[in-house]
Amino acid sequence: MCGIFACHSHPDVAKFKPTALKLSKQIRHRGPDWCGSVISNNTILCHERLSIVGVGGSRSVYLVSRPSSNLKAESGAQPLTNADDSIILAVNGEIYNHRLIRKTLKTPYHFKTTSDCEVVIPLYLEYGIDAPKHLDGMFSFVLYDKKKDRTIAARDPIGITTLYQGWSSKEPGTVYFASELKSLHPVCDKIEAFPPGHIFDSLTGERTRYFEPTWWDGEKIPQTPVDLKKLRETLEKSVRKRLMAEVPYGVLLSGGLDSSLVASIAQRETLRLKKLAEETNSAAEEKPEDLDKGEGLVGIDDENKLSTMTFLPQLNSFSIGLPGSPDNEAALKVAKFLGTKHHVMTFTIEDGLNALSDVIYHLETYDVTTIRASTPMYLLSRKIKAMGIKMVLSGEGSDEIFGGYLYFHGAPNKEEFHTECVRRVKNLHLADCLRANKSTSAWGLEARVPFLDKEFLEVSMNIDPADKMISKERMEKYILRKAFDTSDDPTAEPYLPDNILWRQKEQFSDGVGYGWIDALKDNAELHVTDEMMKNPKPEWGSDIPDTKEAYWYRLMFDEHFPQSCASTVMRWTPTWSKQTDPSGSGLIHAANDVRLPPHGLPQNGSAESCRRLIGFDRAAFPKLAFAPSPATTRLGTTLAHRQLLTFGLLSKDFYHLSSGSLEVKDTTPNRVAFKVTGKSSHDAATSGAIEAKYSDKSTGVTVTQTWNTANALESKVELADTLAKGLKAEGIFSFLPASQAKGVKANLQFKQSNFHGRAFVDLLKGPTTSIDALIGHEGFLAGGSAAFDVQKAKITNYSLAVGYHAPTYNAAVTATDNLSVFSASYYHKVNKLVEAGSKATWNSKTGNTVGLEVAAKYRIDPVSFVKAKINDRGVAAVAYNVLLRDGVKLGLGASFDTQKLDQATHKVGTSLTFEN
């Protein structure tokens, strides 16, 4: 991939040039090989080049065809110009049919370079704004016609390459173009993603769609039965085109169906060309070549065969995943079967988390699915480029074309199935194409996607969707698998092993290792509080993140880009599914309301929900509100959560407190959340409760109804951000029929940056009032609380607390019960696996004895952990928590009085949680 930046009709282009060069430099990672710029009239075009074709200098010794008679012409440095320099062109992409275009031009044209992109100039001279219709490839380009003072810009049919268009209110007549947002937002206050398959003409100021395939209307349902042979041969031809290169190349191999098929076809073609090269070299005979006719250049020839190209002695394939990931294991099997030189990269969760901000900077999105999948691809691309590889083939697009995502199980009929396929293909430029392009371009690597070939789309998108649909007899992408299944022909060489050809779909972010998604969710819990979720930034408008992970990514996006860039982002969400989490393996199908087989591995969900790990230390901070606003959090960490981690270590997950507990959670389609809990204590008493909760985000109203086995009823109504921003009002009503006892409480909470205040009023007791307040600044916390009896006009209780947090440790000191009980707590995150904490308490009223408790936690793997604690009285406890499968958690715990080991004072407990 290359990078382009252009500005049409700037009022002072000479003065603007230094700025233009700086903006172009912002995308130099896309084209590290060379850069160039041209000014003509009031227009400037800048180009950052990644050389793949028309590299320049002498040809590689691995070339099948022979040296050109004009070595000078082999440079493809841009911007490109015609003979009299009246046409200036900057292109990002590859034109696979450039040889055929050179040969079939109506008007002879003398090419200055061997670059495949130069054909855009004569096409423009012959066809004007219809020029892109004749291109077969992936491209974004900006062309300036000096004689007409005209700029045209175009993007390939599907949007495999990235392109953005911007405007500035300071220069109303100026139009900007760039490959990435980071080159535009410093000078533009309005930016749009340039739509695929369109061309812009400065003479009219309009964009028009030039790409008009027969399948574009998603409401028109195809009736053509599948032709398996045609499907296979068209994909083979597509892969063959994309092997056009003069530099080392490879294939991204996840071990899934799509990348494995691409790798298989590429390996066949590589071996064929290697054999052809050996035969050609043994009978070397130089022939005159006409470069203007495309002779001797890399690319497809008249018979649609790749007769000239560079090749490596062995095809390189690449995969990435966490240790033991499904993708790496499957990719190794495929590579061994095909005979490719395979490179496995493993990454740690910490590697991925450390790269997140950079990934979001390069991707220019906050979409959850894109970021999850892009991070491993971003890490892998760096390693590939370091090996000297400059181009890779990838398998994007197949799932959109054939309905391969697991949520397609829920398609109610073939009409909706096809409409969804068309919609997904049309939006690829905002999802998988964006991911593949920017993840690789971040390191100067080019990704090519054979499934999105125009001809292949014309064949595959016009297949009767009834042949694509998933059923009990047919798994996803059945016809694609069947097209490459040669088991019924003993003489045919198999493309793939059966266990790969018929391997079930894994979304890339799942296949690299299920612990990756768990880690992202868990870390999002550390960075985003429940209060932040209720108080999103006003400038976000209606585009509100619906999960903490999405909120976290949006915060990182905002650190890099202004609000004007957010309109270019699209969120990837499944259709026909109740689940908001886009991860493929966890999707629930509306059609049959069942989960897909888990393949015997842990699925999505967290090994332990962080909001349970991180509790409010009520003993240390009674009635103090430690829930910071987004502004407080952006100081670097969530003050409240970081400060109170000690409580999570000392009090959470020790199930011996109950002999057994059960918790079941579910959410109905209309967003009513149900929770049923049951608990059996060691004295044989059993208790239970059921809770129903409904939230309307549009009005800020939340209604909660609770009933327990003591026959107590409680209703709570919350009103958030309606009366005033940051203000939440609550009304709580309770009733105990057995004693006719009633309760009515009114609460107010007010949150602003670095400040949080609350007031609680019990209307039927006294009435009594309690208030608390908290301030935070640069890691320091200070707060106080007081209770007041209205009838007695007396303060009945007051407390104070101070605390400090750092990235890896937190400390707090409190004085409670009218400043008579003092406690100090400390938390330390030793490393990513080990946490430790302690707490000391002294009651000045009861004597000089100081109570001490210490605890530690060790994470065994992404789905399980163990905790232990002991106090100064010799009571020790241990706990174990494991995620059995998605939504099912088991906890085991025990406590022992080490001073009374011969007595029946010890306890054992269990906990089982089901959550949907």
Side-chain angles (χ1 to χ4, degrees):
M1 286 299 156
C2 300
I4 55 177
F5 173 82
C7 176
H8 171 75
S9 190
H10 193 280
D12 192 346
V13 71
K15 185 177 179 180
F16 177 67
K17 181 179 179 180
T19 300
L21 295 179
K22 289 179 181 179
L23 295 174
S24 182
K25 187 178 179 181
Q26 291 295 310
I27 52 174
R28 186 156 295 167
H29 51 269
R30 299 181 63 91
D33 294 337
W34 195 249
C35 59
S37 65
V38 174
I39 290 180
S40 183
N41 294 330
N42 292 323
T43 296
I44 182 170
L45 276 68
C46 305
H47 190 266
E48 307 291 335
R49 188 181 186 223
L50 177 69
S51 53
I52 305 289
V53 175
V55 174
S58 59
R59 295 282 184 100
S60 165
V61 295
Y62 293 116
L63 282 177
V64 176
S65 25
R66 301 0 21 182
S68 163
S69 58
N70 185 1
L71 292 177
K72 180 175 84 169
E74 296 186 13
S75 169
Q78 296 192 39
L80 300 164
T81 60
N82 63 343
D84 63 1
D85 296 333
S86 62
I87 305 293
I88 307 163
L89 173 70
V91 187
N92 166 34
E94 306 291 343
I95 310 302
Y96 304 123
N97 64 336
H98 74 109
R99 292 181 63 194
L100 300 177
I101 292 174
R102 287 180 181 237
K103 188 173 183 178
T104 57
L105 287 171
K106 297 176 181 178
T107 304
Y109 183 86
H110 177 64
F111 288 85
K112 292 183 175 182
T113 75
T114 60
S115 169
D116 54 299
C117 296
E118 193 179 355
V119 297
V120 174
I121 295 177
L123 283 178
Y124 166 74
L125 293 173
E126 286 194 5
Y127 301 104
I129 61 171
D130 286 335
K133 294 181 179 181
H134 300 268
L135 298 174
D136 181 8
M138 56 177 186
F139 56 85
S140 295
F141 71 77
V142 178
L143 180 148
Y144 179 67
D145 186 334
K146 181 178 180 180
K147 296 177 180 178
K148 297 181 180 180
D149 190 24
R150 178 192 202 185
T151 292
I152 66 169
R155 190 176 182 187
D156 65 70
I158 304 301
I160 303 169
T161 61
T162 56
L163 185 65
Y164 297 90
Q165 186 173 1
W167 299 264
S168 171
S169 56
K170 296 178 181 179
E171 300 116 13
T174 304
V175 184
Y176 298 85
F177 302 92
S179 297
E180 296 185 7
L181 290 172
K182 54 184 66 67
S183 292
L184 290 182
H185 74 74
V187 290
C188 297
D189 45 33
K190 177 185 176 183
I191 303 174
E192 295 177 358
F194 196 99
H198 282 66
I199 187 166
F200 168 84
D201 187 354
S202 66
L203 294 182
T204 63
E206 300 292 333
R207 292 187 302 235
T208 56
R209 183 159 66 89
Y210 68 83
F211 181 57
E212 299 175 331
T214 58
W215 52 268
W216 194 256
D217 182 1
E219 301 300 319
K220 182 180 179 181
I221 311 303
Q223 304 294 326
T224 307
V226 62
D227 183 335
L228 296 178
K229 181 181 179 182
K230 186 176 183 180
L231 191 66
R232 180 180 68 250
E233 291 178 346
T234 309
L235 183 60
E236 288 179 315
K237 179 181 176 182
S238 176
V239 174
R240 195 178 303 125
K241 291 179 188 177
R242 282 154 182 81
L243 292 177
M244 177 184 79
E246 295 177 8
V247 295
Y249 63 88
V251 290
L252 299 182
L253 181 58
S254 70
L257 174 68
D258 309 325
S259 65
S260 297
L261 283 177
V262 170
S264 177
I265 298 168
Q267 174 70 331
R268 289 184 177 211
E269 188 65 13
T270 299
L271 294 175
R272 183 188 73 81
L273 286 160
K274 183 178 181 180
K275 182 179 179 181
L276 177 63
E278 293 170 350
E279 294 173 352
T280 303
N281 290 337
S282 63
E285 182 179 342
E286 289 194 18
K287 297 179 180 179
E289 297 169 346
D290 187 348
L291 298 181
D292 289 343
K293 296 295 184 180
E295 295 176 0
L297 301 182
V298 296
I300 297 296
D301 63 12
D302 298 351
E303 299 177 356
N304 289 315
K305 292 182 179 180
L306 190 67
S307 62
T308 57
M309 63 164 290
T310 59
F311 71 90
L312 298 176
Q314 196 171 8
L315 180 64
N316 286 261
S317 56
F318 305 89
S319 66
I320 187 171
L322 297 174
S325 71
D327 277 3
N328 273 347
E329 293 175 1
L332 280 169
K333 294 177 183 178
V334 178
K336 184 177 180 180
F337 179 85
L338 298 178
T340 64
K341 184 177 181 181
H342 192 64
H343 309 270
V344 174
M345 179 182 176
T346 57
F347 75 104
T348 67
I349 288 175
E350 186 174 4
D351 292 333
L353 293 175
N354 290 342
L356 273 179
S357 181
D358 288 342
V359 169
I360 291 172
Y361 171 75
H362 281 287
L363 257 66
E364 304 176 323
T365 185
Y366 46 85
D367 172 57
V368 170
T369 302
T370 305
I371 293 168
R372 286 176 175 179
S374 295
T375 305
M377 197 171 189
Y378 171 85
L379 296 172
L380 179 60
S381 296
R382 184 175 190 178
K383 181 177 180 180
I384 294 173
K385 184 58 185 296
M387 294 177 58
I389 305 293
K390 299 180 73 172
M391 183 272 284
V392 290
L393 301 185
S394 191
E396 277 74 20
S398 173
D399 291 311
E400 287 76 11
I401 296 169
F402 296 101
Y405 292 114
L406 301 185
Y407 77 82
F408 274 89
H409 282 251
N413 51 60
K414 75 172 189 176
E415 290 78 15
E416 290 191 43
F417 187 101
H418 178 71
T419 300
E420 178 67 3
C421 285
V422 173
R423 184 179 76 89
R424 282 294 181 202
V425 171
K426 288 181 177 180
N427 286 326
L428 270 168
H429 68 291
L430 298 172
D432 281 19
C433 285
L434 180 147
R435 168 176 58 81
N437 182 281
K438 291 184 178 178
S439 295
T440 54
S441 294
W443 300 106
L445 180 69
E446 178 174 284
R448 300 180 181 177
V449 283
F451 280 101
L452 299 180
D453 179 82
K454 282 199 303 183
E455 184 179 350
F456 183 74
L457 283 169
E458 194 67 23
V459 171
S460 57
M461 294 298 289
N462 279 309
I463 295 172
D464 188 334
D467 290 334
K468 296 181 180 180
M469 289 191 70
I470 305 163
S471 66
K472 293 181 179 179
E473 295 77 26
R474 292 188 171 193
M475 67 189 307
E476 69 276 358
K477 295 185 284 194
Y478 173 84
I479 59 175
L480 179 62
R481 301 173 194 270
K482 193 64 179 174
F484 288 88
D485 185 351
T486 60
S487 58
D488 56 351
D489 184 359
T491 63
E493 181 181 350
Y495 285 84
L496 294 172
D498 282 349
N499 61 345
I500 298 297
L501 187 62
W502 298 98
R503 182 191 178 198
Q504 190 175 47
K505 167 69 179 174
E506 296 263 16
Q507 290 198 186
F508 182 61
S509 52
D510 295 333
V512 297
Y514 300 110
W516 171 233
I517 292 178
D518 292 344
L520 290 171
K521 291 181 177 179
D522 289 353
N523 275 270
E525 292 277 358
L526 294 174
H527 289 82
V528 180
T529 68
D530 292 336
E531 299 304 320
M532 292 167 66
M533 291 293 295
K534 295 176 183 178
N535 295 282
K537 292 183 179 182
E539 59 264 32
W540 290 350
S542 61
D543 186 17
I544 306 300
D546 53 5
T547 67
K548 291 188 176 181
E549 186 182 1
Y551 197 113
W552 187 28
Y553 298 156
R554 182 62 195 269
L555 289 177
M556 285 189 273
F557 178 87
D558 286 357
E559 291 177 358
H560 298 301
F561 303 102
Q563 180 63 26
S564 59
C565 295
S567 61
T568 65
V569 177
M570 181 197 76
R571 295 187 188 176
W572 197 103
T573 55
T575 308
W576 312 304
S577 173
K578 302 175 184 178
Q579 183 161 318
T580 57
D581 191 299
S583 176
S585 59
L587 290 174
I588 303 173
H589 313 304
N592 51 20
D593 201 25
V594 297
R595 291 187 186 276
L596 290 176
H599 309 297
L601 292 168
Q603 298 295 299
N604 296 322
S606 169
E608 181 185 24
S609 175
C610 284
R611 57 175 159 269
R612 297 187 184 182
L613 277 174
I614 307 168
F616 287 81
D617 192 341
R618 299 300 183 188
F621 298 88
K623 296 184 179 179
L624 287 178
F626 285 86
S629 69
T632 308
T633 301
R634 293 189 69 182
L635 295 173
T637 185
T638 305
L639 299 180
H641 281 186
R642 290 292 189 187
Q643 184 61 48
L644 303 168
L645 280 162
T646 308
F647 179 71
L649 284 174
L650 295 173
S651 302
K652 299 290 183 180
D653 311 306
F654 291 104
Y655 307 101
H656 59 274
L657 299 175
S658 303
S659 62
S661 62
L662 177 69
E663 185 173 297
V664 179
K665 296 181 180 180
D666 199 3
T667 303
T668 65
N670 61 344
R671 302 193 308 279
V672 177
F674 283 93
K675 180 171 71 173
V676 180
T677 58
K679 185 177 293 185
S680 175
S681 65
H682 290 277
D683 59 7
T686 300
S687 62
I690 182 171
E691 175 186 287
K693 184 175 184 178
Y694 175 76
S695 297
D696 186 344
K697 293 183 179 180
S698 62
T699 61
V701 175
T702 299
V703 180
T704 306
Q705 181 67 54
T706 306
W707 172 88
N708 61 32
T709 50
N711 206 28
L713 301 173
E714 182 178 278
S715 301
K716 181 167 70 172
V717 179
E718 303 171 60
L719 187 63
D721 297 323
T722 302
L723 302 176
K725 189 64 178 177
L727 179 65
K728 181 171 75 171
E730 295 178 341
I732 303 175
F733 313 92
S734 59
F735 178 61
L736 188 62
S739 62
Q740 297 296 303
K742 304 179 181 65
V744 179
K745 299 178 181 179
N747 304 330
L748 287 175
Q749 300 182 46
F750 183 65
K751 302 170 191 175
Q752 295 295 322
S753 176
N754 301 323
F755 174 79
H756 185 179
R758 302 191 303 181
F760 303 89
V761 181
D762 192 324
L763 298 174
L764 300 186
K765 288 184 180 180
T768 60
T769 302
S770 61
I771 59 174
D772 61 54
L774 170 74
I775 58 174
H777 179 67
E778 295 184 352
F780 289 94
L781 291 170
S785 67
F788 183 73
D789 190 311
V790 177
Q791 286 186 339
K792 297 178 180 179
K794 178 182 178 181
I795 296 176
T796 58
N797 197 293
Y798 51 90
S799 303
L800 294 174
V802 293
Y804 178 76
H805 83 88
T808 58
Y809 68 89
N810 309 275
V813 176
T814 66
T816 61
D817 195 11
N818 297 334
L819 308 186
S820 64
V821 179
F822 300 87
S823 65
S825 60
Y826 178 76
Y827 167 82
H828 187 193
K829 186 173 180 62
V830 181
N831 55 45
K832 63 182 179 181
L833 300 178
V834 179
E835 300 169 58
S838 62
K839 177 182 173 184
T841 305
W842 176 57
N843 190 331
S844 63
K845 294 180 179 180
T846 59
N848 297 323
T849 303
V850 176
L852 180 65
E853 191 170 15
V854 296
K857 173 183 173 184
Y858 177 72
R859 182 167 289 281
I860 302 170
D861 54 42
V863 297
S864 64
F865 65 86
V866 63
K867 299 174 77 171
K869 69 176 182 177
I870 189 169
N871 62 25
D872 60 297
R873 300 182 304 279
V875 178
V878 293
Y880 173 73
N881 182 292
V882 62
L883 181 70
L884 299 177
R885 59 166 296 167
D886 187 21
V888 182
K889 287 178 282 188
L890 172 67
L892 303 173
S895 68
F896 307 92
D897 191 331
T898 59
Q899 298 182 13
K900 302 175 181 179
L901 291 176
D902 59 339
Q903 300 180 28
T905 60
H906 317 300
K907 298 177 181 179
V908 177
T910 61
S911 172
L912 193 60
T913 302
F914 297 89
E915 185 170 2
N916 181 16

